């Protein structure tokens, strides 16, 4: 079966920029206090129900995976880009990182208590997000939570170049209402929403949606 072109383009782009991307984010972490508060709230909810391990899907060089561990969670990362996974393993050798696509996760049904997709859904064409969210629902345990971060808006952007390299891929800004509706259609019920204004380095509002898979552990 032929891989969708957007997956190939995304993998190729992040393989190309992996080292420079990791170096930049290690010296200039982009998260604001509000962003960190959402991650902390997510961690509290996962811990409060004893929901188990957390998958950082689209983990890149592993910063958020490591932060989730610092919040008391058993976290592991998955990324489409082998070069990003290599950077994550090099930087955090005591954490688990695997290659994989969020459209077809190599995880058992109901096997994780939480999912974080920290700006990692942005390269998925919006019409294919139901496939991604269905996978999130499948691998979450009942009572588990998902935290989704993305740029707010309603447009497709073409990125060329990026991080000082020649790359070519698309990114999508999404409305929180639309993402919340798609999550609900997948069986994930919105719990909390944050929409904050852009920081100086950002061009648009940033959105964070925390959703729960109904059911008892």
């Amino acid at each position: 079966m032929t891989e969708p072109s957007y997956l190939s383009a995304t993998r190729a782009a992040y393989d190309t920029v992996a080292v420079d991307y990791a170096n930049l984010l290690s010296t200039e972490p982009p998260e604001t206090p509000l962003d960190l508060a959402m991650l902390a709230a997510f961690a509290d909810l996962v811990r409060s129900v004893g929901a188990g391990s957390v998958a950082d899907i689209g983990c890149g060089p592993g910063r958020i995976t490591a932060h989730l561990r610092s919040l008391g969670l058993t976290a592991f990362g998955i990324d489409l880009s082998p070069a990003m996974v290599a950077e994550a393993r090099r930087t955090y050798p005591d954490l688990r990182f695997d290659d994989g696509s969020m459209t077809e996760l190599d995880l058992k049904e109901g096997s994780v208590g939480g999912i974080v997709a920290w700006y990692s859904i942005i390269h998925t064409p919006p019409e294919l997000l139901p496939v991604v969210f269905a996978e999130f629902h499948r691998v979450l345990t009942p009572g588990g939570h998902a935290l989704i971060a993305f740029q707010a808006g309603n447009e497709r952007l073409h990125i060329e170049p990026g991080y000082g390299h020649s790359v070519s891929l698309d990114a999508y800004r999404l409305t929180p209402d639309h993402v919340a509706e798609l999550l609900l259609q997948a069986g994930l019920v919105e719990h909390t929403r944050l929409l904050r204004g852009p920081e100086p380095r950002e061009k648009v509002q940033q959105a964070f949606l925390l959703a729960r898979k109904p059911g008892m552990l």
Side-chain angles (χ1 to χ4, degrees):
M1 183 170 160
T2 303
E3 181 178 75
S5 59
Y6 81 92
L7 286 178
S8 301
T10 302
R11 181 187 297 106
Y14 281 97
D15 278 348
T16 299
V17 306
V19 173
D20 289 334
Y21 181 93
N23 288 340
L24 176 64
L25 293 188
S26 68
T27 57
E28 298 181 24
E31 283 74 38
T32 72
L34 286 173
D35 304 348
L36 296 175
M38 287 298 290
L39 287 163
F42 165 82
D44 285 345
L45 288 167
V46 173
R47 287 198 312 269
S48 71
V49 295
S53 61
V54 169
D56 179 12
I57 299 178
C59 64
R63 294 179 317 106
I64 297 300
T65 319
H67 183 70
L68 293 169
R69 179 181 59 178
S70 77
L71 295 174
L73 298 176
T74 300
F76 64 95
I78 298 172
D79 201 90
L80 182 66
S81 162
M84 282 292 190
V85 170
E87 283 297 309
R89 289 172 175 169
R90 179 185 61 79
T91 307
Y92 307 104
D94 53 339
L95 286 173
R96 169 188 161 193
F97 297 98
D98 300 322
D99 298 353
S101 169
M102 65 178 67
T103 60
E104 193 173 355
L105 294 166
D106 188 19
L107 297 172
K108 294 181 180 179
E109 182 176 344
S111 61
V112 297
I115 286 173
V116 172
W118 200 252
Y119 293 94
S120 56
I121 67 167
I122 65 170
H123 300 298
T124 302
E127 66 272 17
L128 298 181
L129 284 175
V131 175
V132 171
F133 294 156
E135 273 292 270
F136 289 3
H137 181 273
R138 180 184 68 81
V139 303
L140 273 173
T141 190
H145 289 81
L147 175 59
I148 318 295
F150 53 98
Q151 293 96 353
N154 186 22
E155 62 182 318
R156 178 179 67 87
L157 305 173
H158 188 68
I159 301 172
E160 188 178 312
Y163 298 97
H165 294 270
S166 176
V167 300
S168 180
L169 76 165
D170 292 332
Y172 300 87
R173 293 172 179 166
L174 306 161
T175 67
D177 285 344
H178 183 57
V179 174
E181 177 60 28
L182 292 180
L183 287 168
L184 183 60
Q185 290 173 10
L188 299 171
V189 180
E190 181 179 349
H191 177 286
T192 304
R193 179 186 304 201
L194 170 66
L195 183 65
R196 68 162 175 81
E199 293 293 313
R201 63 180 174 274
E202 299 166 338
K203 296 180 180 179
V204 297
Q205 291 179 310
Q206 308 296 302
F208 307 84
L209 284 177
L210 182 57
R212 180 178 182 273
K213 180 176 177 176
M216 300 298 293
L217 295 176

